[in-house]
Every structure is written in structure tokens, then in C-alpha cells.
């Protein structure tokens, strides 16, 4: 099954990888903002309680029961990051004797990275829900929960031994089932099939012409999600959901310009690497205030501390020859949002969020200029017909200044002593369309008590 899934996903990822490009818009290389245009306009407040429309299925599969009939939703997000590392000290190299010597400007110590996220990129997502009976729903969610493209605009030179470029692309497919137990309780579950493809390059030396070492691999592995929604009284929705860890076993190659006897030969060597993408718990509350106003809250915890040390194993020998040491912390995301129903067709929304990042000043790498961030969001929905609804959303992410500190204690420390700082920010814009395939005017037996609209 894995072989078939890997072949199918690999045929798709050549396109999807381009769409997942850009610096991550959530902690580390996760892509929360690519999930939904409606959610983006409210900083994803109330995601677990169904407050963001069909995009809520990405967090809580039980929210599928909020959509009667047969409905689909497509969202397209553009992420435009901006970050550039500027050195904060003279770059030095440590000699075998233990002494350090400065690297001259000609060697690159005076160069900043320039933009490391490129021109940004698109992230698509899709959702479908089909009500089979008065209590049972099935559906599907597809998206890209993780992604990164990081490549310095300038020749990195001295710091390039820590990274010349990084690329991570994922495709996630989640068949979903939901059941309305009674008027106040719904449950749901989803099976996750996830494909990941990675490509990491770093220089084998500090000169501008130093050759690359290249680590690349891909994997298909599986996980699950389950959740509940509660409606203790009319107008109040509560959601709680869990997304499992996905344990990936990457199969790939490590290309090196020089042999590392007896394990690696010069050229391409088969490798394996085990990595754990984090599990998470999310809580949401959506409260109707009156006929025009609705408030939403959200809290999300992500177990990024699972993503720490990744040994790279030479397949021919079965022993590790290096490792990727991330040493991440757990992350937290808090959000609040308001919706205002201006008239029958137009709904306005805004939200604010704050994220405590998994990345800090001790473990930050040159690939990712991530730090704690403030979300400022706004958006709207317009009901074009009884079958079609359009959404747009925008978020500005103000990221705290991010420092890299390869001065001796970094988890991926090498011979070059390099410190720098970036002042990142991200613009995100998204558009979405919801389509009702059946006739909304037809009576559905015992429709759900809780509906978004």
C-alpha cells in the first residue's frame, strides 16, 4: 500500500511542491494559514468549534455534521514572507587547534542572506461533506499542512555550511466520517494519508565555489484525527479535537563530494531517516451574541518537542553517520475573532492571534526565520446564490526579531562561528468558494441543530 501511495503522491508533488513554496506561516514549517480563506479572515478563531466554515474539518472532523446535504469548499492561499539575515558579529572559523580566525569580507562575513523565502507561493486546500442519513456524514479533506522553500538571495558563503537551501513539500488526504449522536453531541474521525518530500543543501566548505552536500528523501505514512462538538444550549458551540503524530520513514539519498570512509562513498549514497511530525490538541468556542454578531475563541497546542534529533542512517551499513538536531519546543496558538452579519448575504469578520513558536534563539537555523508572532486578520463572505458562497481573507503576521546563533552551543554547530538577525513579517491572502451540490430548498430529514449559516 505504501509503495502505491508513494508512487501516486510523487507524481503529484512536482506540482504541489511549487504551490507549497514560501516561508511557513505558522510555527516552524507548518502552514496553518493555507487551510481556509474564511478561517484566515478571523485568525482561525473557533476552528475546532466550526466557526470557520468547512475549513474547520482540518482541525475537528466532527464539524462535518454542521453541513447538511452535499457541499464542497475550495480555498487558495498566497503566502508572501519577508526575512533577511544580517550578521551581528564578525564571522570566524574554528581551526583544529581550537583557535579561531576571522573570515574576511571577501570570504562572505559581511554578506547578509537577502530574502530567504523567495517570492512566496500558493497553498491549495479542498473539503467535501456528504450527508448520507439524518445522522451520518462522510467527506474528504486535502491540503498541505507543512511546507517550506528557503534559499538565500545572496551568496551565503561562510554561513552556507549550515544551509544553502531547504525545500519541504507535503500532501495530506483525510477521508472523514461524522455522526450526530443527539441534539447536543457530534463525533467525528479522519484517517490521514500524508506524503512528504524533502531536499536540504549545504556547502561542503566556506568558499563561494564549495560543492554541495545534498540530503533528499520522501515518505508516505499515516495518522488519524478525532474530535467532538458540543451544543450545550442554542447558540453555543464547543469543539475539542486531537490530531495524531505521523511517524515518517524517509527513503532517499545523501550526495557528498568526498568519501567518508568506510560509510559513505563520494557521490550518491542510499539513506533512511525517521522523523516524527507533531500531534496536536485544539479547543474552540463559538458563541452567537445576537442575530448579527458572533464571537469565536481558539487554543491550539502542538507537540513540536517530538521533532528533535533525526539520525541519518546509511542504508548499506545500518548505522547513523550524522543527524539533524532541531531541539524544538512545544508551540501554543491563541486566537479570538468576531463576525458581523451586515445583511442577509454579506458577513464581515476580523480576528487576532498570538503564537508561541517552537523555534527559539538557541535552536533557530538559517533555513527558518521563525519566532513568536502576532496575527492581525480580516475578511468577508458573500452569499452569491443559495448554492454559492465566496470568501476572502487577509492576515498580516508580525514576527519578533529572529536571531541565529552558531557561536558554539547550537544543536547543529559546525566549525564556522556565525551570528545574525532577521526582522521577519508575512502577508497572507486567500480566496475560497463554497458550493452546495444538492438543492438547499429541499427538505433534509432531521437536519443538524448546529449550522454555520
Amino acid at each position: 500500500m505504501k509503495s502505491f501511495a508513494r508512487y501516486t503522491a510523487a507524481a503529484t508533488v512536482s506540482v504541489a511542491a511549487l504551490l507549497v513554496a514560501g516561508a511557513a506561516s505558522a510555527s516552524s514549517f507548518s502552514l496553518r494559514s493555507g487551510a481556509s480563506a474564511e478561517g484566515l479572515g478571523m485568525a482561525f478563531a473557533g476552528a475546532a468549534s466550526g466557526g470557520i466554515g468547512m475549513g474547520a474539518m482540518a482541525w475537528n472532523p466532527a464539524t462535518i455534521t454542521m453541513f447538511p446535504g452535499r457541499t464542497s469548499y475550495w480555498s487558495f492561499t498566497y503566502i508572501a514572507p519577508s526575512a533577511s539575515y544580517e550578521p551581528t558579529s564578525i564571522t570566524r572559523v574554528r581551526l583544529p587547534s581550537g583557535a579561531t580566525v576571522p573570515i574576511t569580507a571577501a570570504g562572505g562575513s559581511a554578506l547578509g542572506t537577502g530574502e530567504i523565502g523567495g517570492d512566496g507561493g500558493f497553498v491549495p486546500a479542498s473539503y467535501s461533506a456528504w450527508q448520507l442519513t439524518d445522522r451520518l456524514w462522510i467527506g474528504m479533506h486535502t491540503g498541505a499542512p507543512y511546507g517550506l522553500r528557503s534559499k538565500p538571495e545572496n551568496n551565503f558563503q561562510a554561513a552556507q555550511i549550515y544551509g544553502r537551501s531547504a525545500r519541504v513539500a507535503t500532501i495530506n488526504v483525510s477521508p472523514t466520517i461524522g455522526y450526530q449522536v443527539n441534539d447536543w453531541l457530534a463525533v467525528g474521525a479522519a484517517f490521514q494519508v500524508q506524503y512528504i518530500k524533502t531536499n536540504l543543501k549545504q556547502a561542503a566548505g566556506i568558499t563561494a565555489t564549495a560543492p554541495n552536500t545534498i540530503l533528499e528523501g520522501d515518505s508516505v505514512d499515516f495518522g488519524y484525527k478525532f474530535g467532538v462538538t458540543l451544543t450545550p444550549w442554542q447558540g453555543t458551540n464547543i469543539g475539542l479535537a486531537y490530531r495524531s503524530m505521523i511517524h515518517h520513514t524517509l527513503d532517499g539519498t545523501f550526495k557528498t563530494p568526498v568519501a567518508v570512509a568506510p560509510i559513505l562513498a563520494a557521490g550518491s549514497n542510499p539513506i533512511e531517516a525517521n522523523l516524527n511530525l507533531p500531534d496536536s490538541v485544539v479547543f474552540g468556542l463559538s458563541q452567537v451574541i445576537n442575530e448579527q454578531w458572533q464571537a469565536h475563541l481558539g487554543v491550539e497546542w502542538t507537540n513540536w518537542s517530538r521533532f528533535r534529533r533525526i539520525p541519518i542512517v546509511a542504508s548499506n551499513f545500518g548505522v547513523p553517520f550524522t543527524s539533524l538536531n532541531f531541539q524544538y519546543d512545544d508551540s501554543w496558538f491563541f486566537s479570538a475573532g468576531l463576525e458581523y452579519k451586515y445583511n442577509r448575504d454579506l458577513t464581515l469578520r476580523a480576528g487576532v492571534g498570538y503564537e508561541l513558536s517552537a523555534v527559539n534563539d538557541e535552536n533557530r537555523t538559517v533555513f527558518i526565520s521563525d519566532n513568536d508572532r502576532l496575527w492581525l486578520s480580516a475578511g468577508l463572505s458573500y452569499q452569491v446564490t443559495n448554492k454559492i458562497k465566496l470568501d476572502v481573507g487577509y492576515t498580516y503576521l508580525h514576527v519578533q526579531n529572529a536571531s541565529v546563533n552558531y557561536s558554539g552551543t547550537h544543536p547543529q554547530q559546525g566549525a564556522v562561528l556565525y551570528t545574525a538577525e532577521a526582522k521577519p513579517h508575512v502577508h497572507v491572502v486567500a480566496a475560497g468558494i463554497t458550493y452546495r451540490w444538492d438543492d438547499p430548498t429541499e427538505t433534509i430529514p432531521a437536519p443538524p441543530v448546529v449550522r454555520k449559516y
Side-chain angles (χ1 to χ4, degrees):
M1 181 177 179
K2 276 192 178 183
S3 298
F4 176 77
R6 184 191 301 270
Y7 176 81
T8 304
T12 309
V13 80
S14 58
V15 174
L18 296 176
L19 299 174
V20 182
S25 58
S27 191
S28 188
F29 53 94
S30 59
L31 291 171
R32 177 185 298 108
S33 61
S36 155
E38 190 169 347
L40 181 68
M42 207 159 47
F44 296 96
S49 52
I52 63 170
M54 293 194 75
M57 288 171 58
W59 280 265
N60 185 353
T63 59
I64 193 174
T65 62
M66 295 181 176
F67 305 98
R70 299 189 301 276
T71 309
S72 294
Y73 176 65
W74 300 273
S75 179
F76 303 91
T77 302
Y78 181 73
I79 303 173
S82 178
S84 175
Y85 279 114
E86 296 297 331
T88 55
S89 66
I90 297 175
T91 303
R92 305 175 71 88
V93 62
R94 181 183 287 116
L95 303 177
S97 64
T100 63
V101 296
I103 300 175
T104 65
S109 65
L111 285 178
T113 63
E115 287 292 340
I116 65 174
D119 297 326
F122 287 95
V123 182
S126 68
Y127 305 84
S128 61
W130 183 6
Q131 184 178 7
L132 298 179
T133 71
D134 61 334
R135 293 185 181 271
L136 182 63
W137 280 254
I138 61 172
M140 181 82 74
H141 159 52
T142 66
Y146 302 96
L148 175 71
R149 185 179 64 190
S150 178
K151 185 176 182 180
E153 182 182 23
N154 296 335
N155 192 326
F156 216 178
Q157 296 196 13
Q160 69 190 353
I161 72 163
Y162 300 118
R164 268 182 170 159
S165 68
R167 192 179 185 113
V168 179
T170 58
I171 300 172
N172 211 78
V173 179
S174 298
T176 303
I177 186 168
Y179 188 75
Q180 188 77 43
V181 180
N182 51 40
D183 288 347
W184 59 270
L185 174 64
V187 297
F191 178 65
Q192 295 189 86
V193 181
Q194 187 174 100
Y195 177 75
I196 184 171
K197 184 178 179 66
T198 64
N199 182 289
L200 306 177
K201 294 180 182 178
Q202 62 187 56
I206 62 173
T207 65
T209 57
N212 284 324
T213 60
I214 304 173
L215 173 66
E216 55 187 354
D218 66 352
S219 169
V220 174
D221 277 286
F222 310 101
Y224 60 89
K225 294 181 283 188
F226 63 82
V228 299
T229 58
L230 305 172
T231 310
W233 47 79
Q234 187 67 30
T236 300
N237 299 338
I238 300 170
L240 182 66
Y242 173 77
R243 181 189 67 193
S244 76
M245 173 194 76
I246 296 184
H247 177 80
H248 280 285
T249 301
L250 295 178
D251 291 321
T253 59
F254 184 80
K255 299 176 183 178
T256 175
V258 295
V260 183
I263 298 177
L264 301 179
S268 183
N269 298 267
I271 59 97
E272 295 178 357
N274 294 320
L275 62 91
N276 297 320
L277 292 182
D279 50 336
S280 64
V281 176
V282 60
F283 168 83
L285 171 64
S286 296
Q287 177 64 54
V288 174
I289 300 173
N290 55 39
E291 291 184 355
Q292 289 184 298
W293 289 94
Q294 190 172 15
H296 307 271
L297 297 172
V299 179
E300 184 176 353
W301 168 81
T302 305
N303 192 10
W304 273 109
S305 58
R306 289 188 181 274
F307 193 75
R308 299 187 71 81
R309 182 176 181 271
I310 303 173
I312 310 300
V313 176
S315 300
N316 292 338
F317 291 85
V319 295
F321 61 91
T322 188
S323 64
L324 301 177
N325 301 317
F326 290 96
Q327 306 295 324
Y328 279 178
D329 300 323
D330 294 344
S331 67
W332 288 86
F333 181 63
F334 307 91
S335 57
L338 280 172
E339 288 185 296
Y340 175 69
K341 197 170 184 61
Y342 181 78
N343 56 35
R344 185 187 64 179
D345 298 322
L346 178 63
T347 300
L348 308 176
R349 60 180 59 91
V352 61
Y354 195 79
E355 186 161 16
L356 301 174
S357 176
V359 180
N360 58 48
D361 289 349
E362 283 72 42
N363 61 27
R364 190 173 294 108
T365 69
V366 294
F367 288 137
I368 299 175
S369 59
D370 186 29
N371 208 348
D372 298 351
R373 62 189 64 200
L374 174 68
W375 291 57
L376 300 173
S377 306
L380 60 87
S381 294
Y382 188 77
Q383 193 74 41
V384 181
T385 70
N386 63 352
K387 284 176 169 282
I388 299 173
K389 178 167 72 74
L390 300 179
D391 303 305
V392 293
Y394 168 79
T395 290
Y396 173 76
L397 284 81
H398 176 75
V399 186
Q400 291 187 14
N401 290 359
S403 300
V404 289
N405 186 16
Y406 294 92
S407 60
T409 60
H410 194 279
Q412 298 182 19
Q413 184 66 49
V416 172
L417 306 181
Y418 177 84
T419 63
E421 185 176 71
K423 299 178 181 179
H425 65 268
V426 186
H427 296 280
V428 188
V429 63
I433 180 171
T434 303
Y435 185 75
R436 178 81 180 264
W437 296 96
D438 57 332
D439 187 349
T441 63
E442 292 183 358
T443 302
I444 300 174
V449 174
V450 181
R451 294 188 184 180
K452 171 66 178 172
Y453 292 109

